[in-house]
Amino acid sequence: MRVLCIETSCDETAAAVVRDGRQILSSVVASQVDLHAHYGGVVPELASRCHLEAITPVIAEALERAATPLAAIEGVAVTRGPGLVGALLVGVAAAKAIAYARQLPLIGVHHIEGHILAVQLEQEVAFPYLALAVSGGHTHLYRVDGIGRYQTLGRTIDDAAGEAFDKVAKLMGLPYPGGALIDRLARDGDPRAIPLPRPLLHRDNLDFSFSGMKTAVLNYLKQHPEAAAGDRRNDLAASFQAAMVEILVAKTLRAAAAHGLERLVVAGGVACNSGLRAGLAAAASQAGLTLAIPSPPLCADNAAMLGVAGAAYLSAGLAAPLDLNAVAAWPLDTAGLFPAAV
Ligand code: KG4
Ligand code: ZN
């Protein structure tokens, strides 16, 4: 079964063709990052307009690279939410138009559902597992009992991890989105050079709070303006990243222990972070847990990640009506299309 997948939830216009929910035949991502970098963050109206211009050529390229004519596509999976509603609507409208014109079943997939199942495109991970979803909009711990069966165990009570990376990067004078740039600077810095807080680290719960990290870095920079440049900038990046990694690793391990889960999956753009990958690998190995993290292109926003849930739902005969609408806010717990008892 070849599924055409479409993702436009934020600032990447993406389309992919995925076979049988396992094999990526093509994955095309047109990034708007350069456009938004100009404004220091994603401008929703500009994102929608850019998606509109890019969506048709991106889908055409995905089909061409997969050597798959539309006639050979058996279903369409699209990110229905959460995200910027104007951006989501472009992908949803394109998916509905193709589904209507070609009489194909349509499936609306949750963006984070896509992220946490992306790993299945590269390796088999048995259910149940603990998923840490870390992106620009999410920092959530989920129990995943199967495709379509998700339970939130913990979440950020304010900023998402990616948001914290981007805000701190901005304070350090780095362009948007700065997460990857902090990662690069941190490689040549001393993670113990600058003392930064670890909010909620020792609280006996599975929630995160990252808004204080930005304030701590802001206060530090006010007292030490020299840390925004030169070697001290590397130290600041490394110290900030070390704090983020310590918190994310500790809460993930705590969640796995509390819920008796032996397999960990990490997903979303922040899962590209080299410090987080290394920190989790060390902690998982010490705790005797299995760790699976997709390769970086599958961690960042892409359309292929929708192919896993898309194929499963379509194979089960599920299809969304053609009045499917985009949803800006949508808890993952209610998004899975398979009931908990299945
Ligand atoms: O999943 P994603 O591509 O889009 C959303 O769904 O939000 O995640 C984007 C986020 C941004 O905040 C970006 O700065 C962050 O992921 N990011 C990183 C790295 N690469 C991307 N953060 C830290 N280290 C990285 N290497
Ligand atoms: Zn994402």
Side-chain angles (χ1 to χ4, degrees):
M1 176 195 276
R2 289 177 192 223
V3 175
L4 173 65
C5 308
I6 300 172
E7 148 71 39
T8 63
S9 67
C10 190
D11 58 350
E12 258 100 32
T13 316
V17 178
V18 177
R19 180 157 48 197
D20 300 330
R22 305 189 138 259
Q23 190 192 0
I24 302 172
L25 299 184
S26 67
S27 180
V28 178
V29 181
S31 178
Q32 308 172 3
V33 152
D34 293 345
L35 173 78
H36 298 291
H38 204 66
Y39 302 93
V42 177
V43 183
E45 179 59 29
L46 281 183
S48 313
R49 290 187 206 184
C50 256
H51 283 309
L52 262 183
E53 282 170 16
I55 191 75
T56 305
V58 163
I59 291 172
E61 195 176 332
L63 292 168
E64 196 183 311
R65 281 201 211 166
T68 303
L70 254 187
I73 293 289
E74 289 170 71
V76 184
V78 63
T79 302
R80 186 185 167 209
L84 303 170
V85 77
L88 288 162
L89 277 170
V90 177
V92 168
K96 288 201 285 194
I98 293 169
Y100 176 68
R102 310 296 305 199
Q103 296 290 296
L104 293 172
L106 170 72
I107 280 292
V109 177
H110 191 290
H111 181 74
I112 296 297
E113 177 172 35
H115 272 306
I116 65 183
L117 296 175
V119 69
Q120 316 272 355
L121 295 165
E122 292 183 332
Q123 58 183 289
E124 207 138 322
V125 185
F127 299 109
Y129 58 74
L130 178 79
L132 167 68
V134 264
S135 69
H138 282 73
T139 299
H140 283 55
L141 286 162
Y142 298 105
R143 180 189 170 97
V144 182
D145 280 302
I147 294 177
R149 299 169 61 197
Y150 317 104
Q151 185 195 347
T152 301
L153 304 178
R155 54 171 298 171
T156 178
I157 56 171
D158 42 53
D159 290 354
E163 200 178 346
F165 267 94
D166 295 342
K167 284 177 175 173
V168 166
K170 201 170 179 176
L171 291 173
M172 293 169 66
L174 300 168
Y176 175 87
L181 300 172
I182 290 195
D183 191 358
R184 210 170 307 153
L185 287 174
R187 279 171 211 173
D188 298 317
D190 176 0
R192 286 171 304 269
I194 295 165
L196 290 172
R198 268 74 171 152
L200 300 192
L201 180 62
H202 299 296
R203 272 294 165 77
D204 193 22
N205 65 25
L206 300 176
D207 289 334
F208 304 89
S209 170
F210 293 123
S211 62
M213 295 302 296
K214 184 193 72 174
T215 315
V217 172
L218 179 67
N219 290 339
Y220 185 83
L221 281 171
K222 272 189 195 150
Q223 285 159 19
H224 307 272
E226 76 285 357
D231 287 352
R232 283 308 270 176
R233 189 163 79 154
N234 293 86
D235 289 344
L236 182 56
S239 301
F240 166 71
Q241 183 168 297
M244 296 295 291
V245 169
E246 189 179 335
I247 300 163
L248 290 167
V249 169
K251 295 269 169 164
T252 303
L253 271 282
R254 188 179 300 166
H259 292 269
L261 296 165
E262 289 165 1
R263 287 168 291 274
L264 309 179
V265 166
V266 192
V270 183
C272 295
N273 186 270
S274 57
L276 182 60
R277 295 173 87 96
L280 280 165
S285 130
Q286 203 180 4
L289 305 174
T290 309
L291 173 68
I293 313 180
S295 55
L298 271 181
C299 290
D301 282 351
N302 67 91
M305 66 187 194
L306 308 174
V308 181
Y313 295 146
L314 291 165
S315 303
L318 296 169
L322 283 176
D323 63 358
L324 180 80
N325 208 351
V327 276
W330 188 19
L332 181 59
D333 300 52
T334 61
L337 294 184
F338 292 143
V342 170

